Amino acid sequence: RGDGGVRNNTRTVRLVKMIRYIEQNPHIKAKDLSHKFEVSERTIYRDLRELDHIVPIVNDRGNGYRIGVTTE
């Protein structure tokens, strides 16, 4: 099955952990997520876009990310 299956599994695990981490740490910044999950900020932005299809990911304009609906 090659290397892709392992990579996809690692990403899936990271995405699930990321949802939990954002729930526990609202207003976390992408930079902090990249350090926590040991991936680049670019990868975090890709992950956040993907997660937004599953749960509402809100960017509070300079105050980091949280899960929930916008307050506007």
Side-chain angles (χ1 to χ4, degrees):
R1 160 161 99 136
D3 188 49
V6 172
R7 205 170 314 142
N8 287 337
N9 185 45
T10 301
R11 183 168 190 246
T12 300
V13 169
R14 183 178 67 245
L15 291 175
V16 170
K17 288 181 178 181
M18 193 179 299
I19 291 171
R20 291 182 185 154
Y21 195 75
I22 294 170
E23 285 176 329
Q24 295 168 354
N25 300 278
H27 305 292
I28 188 150
K29 307 232 188 261
K31 182 177 184 177
D32 297 325
L33 286 168
S34 72
H35 288 291
K36 168 69 179 167
F37 293 100
E38 299 179 345
V39 295
S40 70
E41 281 187 59
R42 182 178 172 142
T43 296
I44 291 297
Y45 291 125
R46 282 191 211 112
D47 288 351
L48 290 169
R49 278 195 309 273
E50 184 69 27
L51 285 175
D52 196 40
H53 294 288
I54 301 165
V55 296
I57 302 291
V58 178
N59 179 353
D60 281 331
R61 296 186 186 147
N63 292 319
Y65 293 89
R66 63 182 171 83
I67 293 177
V69 295
T70 59
T71 56
E72 297 177 20

